[in-house]
Amino acid sequence: MRAKEQFSCGVVIVAAGRGERAGALQDGPKQYRAIGGRPVITHTLDVFATWPMEKTIVVVIHPDDEALFAHAKGLISSDGPDITFVHGGPTRQLSVLAGLKALEGSGITNVMIHDAVRPFIDHALLDRCAAALKDGADALLPAIAVADTLKRGSADGKVLETVPRAGLYGAQTPQCFRFAPILDAHANAAASGRADFTDDASIAEWAGMPVTLIEGLVDNVKLTIKRDIAMADEKLTRNALPDVRTGNGYDVHQLIDGDGVTLCGIFMPHDQTLLGHSDADVALHALTDALLATCGAGDIGDHFSPSDPQWKGAASRIFLEHAAKIVRDNGGTIMNADVSLIAEAPKIGPHRQAMRENLANMLGISLDRCSVKATTNEKIGFIGRREGIAAIATATVVYSGEIK
């Protein structure tokens, strides 16, 4: 341990690998695979970006991955510090050296080197690392004591011996160092032709730097094979709050003399009719607005202007099915549609089942997810005077992914 010094932190995120064990040739490098709806590296960067410590972040990427990295960086949930990138080398060791050289001259005293494919780090681990570095540690290795029984095997697949696990640890990242000594150690290793180091702590050991163990994090696993990525996605998806949205709609149309009204697409003979540019189906108009509201897509007038002659006398089914398509195109699943009609006449009850069936057919959902209710206005106001009919609609939609 050394005396305390002024502390400033740099971060090198290593993301230049091809990840063949995870099937990179078919699906792209594992650091850009989606887990929980975002690339692995985005989750990793989010932890560092939101960590309340002043830092400089450099990401080491493959030259072919600039577009993938730009997309992943754009999905970070926090503004945070500026994040730059450099191109890596043919090995992890040389990629880390490129990242360290990118920080040279920045004035940092310490550096954290982290694998991009370890997205489940947390601020508590980073805090522990920073505290130990501030106390003067030359090098830190987050680690977890080995819990499994270890066996040494022969080339022909036979067990040679049981290896005592006392004092054995699984190494994690971020591995943390005083900046100048680890940069020198990496440069000297490269100059001497040594390319067999499996992590940065082993280079520090080779260079004579004392490496201190620090409590790691059980969840801080490295995503190596396809199954790891699938399990990470399942974990994030399972823990994520569902994106459930509810929209409301209201519409009213004037009643005039006529031969019937159309509500929820069902024509009902009556001594009045609803006045409107289209068929004046207040129920479907209200429900159209409710669906559009769930993804911020405006209202019915934005999509079907009442001044446009092509919608003169149009069936409102067109409007509702258009809104449903917008919802689905944005990754939405319609869960429920509820319409309340307020009218003195005609009687809705005899037609309620047909109305529900119409809604189910238009929206492509089951009948039990469609509700139609009716009430009078107790002869109060314009509805009570049979001057108009009003409708209130509510729609519930579950969305997956980003809204376009």
Side-chain angles (χ1 to χ4, degrees):
M1 304 284 283
R2 304 171 62 258
K4 293 183 180 180
E5 61 184 352
Q6 185 67 35
F7 178 81
S8 55
C9 186
V11 177
V12 173
I13 306 292
V14 190
R18 298 291 84 193
E20 285 81 1
R21 282 181 288 176
L25 295 179
Q26 293 81 21
D27 304 314
K30 60 189 176 183
Q31 57 269 36
Y32 299 107
R33 308 282 180 81
I35 58 172
R38 296 189 299 166
V40 170
I41 191 173
T42 302
H43 294 275
T44 304
L45 290 171
D46 245 347
V47 178
F48 283 96
T50 57
W51 182 41
M53 172 74 68
E54 187 174 346
K55 63 270 179 184
T56 303
I57 301 176
V58 173
V59 185
V60 188
I61 68 171
H62 192 279
D64 294 342
D65 294 344
E66 288 192 17
L68 289 171
F69 175 69
H71 173 72
K73 179 182 172 183
L75 297 176
I76 296 173
S77 61
S78 168
D79 291 338
D82 186 38
I83 298 174
T84 60
F85 74 87
V86 294
H87 292 155
T91 66
R92 182 191 185 280
Q93 187 176 321
L94 290 176
S95 291
V96 172
L97 179 56
L100 293 173
K101 286 183 175 179
L103 289 173
E104 197 171 13
S106 65
I108 63 168
T109 59
N110 297 84
V111 64
M112 298 180 172
I113 304 171
H114 186 69
D115 295 326
V117 289
R118 291 183 184 269
F120 296 118
I121 50 169
D122 62 15
H123 290 174
L125 173 57
L126 300 182
D127 288 341
R128 290 198 297 275
C129 291
L133 290 172
K134 289 178 179 179
D135 280 340
D138 288 307
L140 292 175
L141 175 64
I144 296 292
V146 172
D148 294 328
T149 298
L150 300 177
K151 305 288 184 179
R152 190 186 309 281
S154 64
D156 61 354
K158 300 294 191 298
V159 173
L160 293 177
E161 64 173 322
T162 299
V163 180
R165 65 190 180 197
L168 294 181
Y169 294 84
Q172 298 183 340
T173 66
Q175 296 179 7
C176 308
F177 310 90
R178 284 197 299 127
F179 178 70
I182 195 62
L183 174 58
D184 288 343
H186 261 282
N188 291 336
S192 66
R194 288 292 303 271
D196 56 332
F197 295 107
T198 57
D199 69 353
D200 306 293
S202 59
I203 292 179
E205 297 161 32
W206 171 77
M209 295 174 64
V211 179
T212 302
L213 290 170
I214 191 170
E215 180 188 357
L217 180 67
V218 173
D219 288 343
N220 185 20
V221 294
K222 185 176 182 180
L223 306 185
T224 303
I225 60 176
K226 274 189 174 183
R227 180 59 182 154
D228 296 336
I229 295 168
M231 291 177 69
D233 182 52
E234 181 181 355
K235 174 181 178 179
L236 290 173
T237 303
R238 182 178 65 246
N239 292 339
L241 291 174
D243 189 0
V244 181
R245 304 186 183 193
T246 300
N248 294 311
Y250 173 81
D251 195 34
V252 61
H253 277 272
Q254 183 182 358
L255 282 167
I256 60 174
D257 291 339
D259 61 354
V261 299
T262 298
L263 296 171
C264 293
I266 300 296
F267 180 78
M268 292 172 285
H270 187 50
D271 60 359
Q272 293 177 296
T273 193
L274 288 166
L275 180 64
H277 185 62
S278 64
D279 63 3
D281 190 331
V282 289
L284 297 191
H285 293 184
L287 187 53
T288 296
D289 276 349
L291 285 173
L292 293 172
T294 65
C295 55
D299 61 25
I300 191 171
D302 295 323
H303 299 267
F304 303 97
S305 172
S307 62
D308 190 334
Q310 70 173 310
W311 308 123
K312 179 68 175 176
S316 295
R317 177 186 190 114
I318 297 170
F319 311 151
L320 184 64
E321 291 178 343
H322 177 76
K325 183 178 185 301
I326 289 175
V327 166
R328 294 192 177 98
D329 286 347
N330 279 286
T333 300
I334 301 170
M335 304 302 295
N336 175 261
D338 176 47
V339 175
S340 293
L341 292 163
I342 306 101
E344 296 298 326
K347 294 293 184 183
I348 305 300
H351 306 280
R352 181 182 288 111
Q353 184 67 10
M355 290 178 175
R356 293 179 61 218
E357 291 171 356
N358 249 12
L359 293 182
N361 179 262
M362 295 176 201
L363 299 176
I365 59 178
S366 59
L367 184 64
D368 63 294
R369 297 182 181 275
C370 299
S371 171
V372 175
K373 307 185 299 293
T375 186
T376 69
N377 219 40
E378 299 294 338
K379 297 184 179 181
I380 300 171
F382 74 92
I383 293 176
R385 295 190 298 269
R386 295 180 54 169
E387 294 173 1
I389 294 178
I392 300 171
T394 303
T396 303
V397 178
V398 176
Y399 284 91
S400 60
E402 293 181 74
I403 303 297
K404 297 176 184 177

